[in-house]
Amino acid sequence: MTTVQVKRLQDGLIVGLIVNGHSGYAKSGSDIVCSSISTALNMTISIIEKLGIKYEYKIQTKMPEIIFSLKEPNQYSQIVLNSFIENIEAL
């Protein structure tokens, strides 16, 4: 199962995401659920980058796992990350 862990500050500000696992819907490479999650995350990171918001991420292929964190969260990053969360919850 794929899990998405949202990292927040005490005030609720989203500062990071940890996405790991495989959905198990189909074999690796043919799984449309994993593909959807990957696409949503890639688009989220792309938008964050285009907005000029500083971030970092690490990909661990053994698990698989992606660790994404904002260096400078702001109101725009919150809109983008909340949209990612809504998209994932709709899957």
Side-chain angles (χ1 to χ4, degrees):
M1 177 171 71
T2 302
T3 60
V4 177
Q5 183 179 2
V6 180
K7 298 289 190 177
R8 296 180 186 267
L9 297 177
Q10 285 184 331
D11 62 2
L13 198 68
I14 302 169
V15 293
L17 302 166
I18 299 174
V19 181
N20 61 30
H22 180 64
S23 76
Y25 182 79
K27 292 180 184 177
S28 182
S30 300
D31 193 323
I32 60 173
V33 176
C34 278
S35 178
S36 297
I37 294 168
S38 295
T39 300
L41 184 58
N42 285 334
M43 186 179 341
T44 298
I45 292 171
S46 178
I47 294 168
I48 293 284
E49 188 171 303
K50 288 185 183 343
L51 289 171
I53 300 166
K54 294 184 180 180
Y55 70 94
E56 61 185 20
Y57 73 99
K58 181 170 48 170
I59 299 174
Q60 300 201 11
T61 56
K62 290 182 183 180
M63 291 191 156
E65 179 175 75
I66 299 172
I67 301 168
F68 171 84
S69 56
L70 293 172
K71 292 186 174 186
E72 299 174 2
N74 61 31
Q75 65 185 14
Y76 303 110
S77 66
Q78 299 309 290
I79 293 168
V80 175
L81 292 173
N82 277 308
S83 295
F84 169 77
I85 294 164
E86 289 172 10
N87 185 299
I88 295 306
E89 288 175 342
L91 290 177

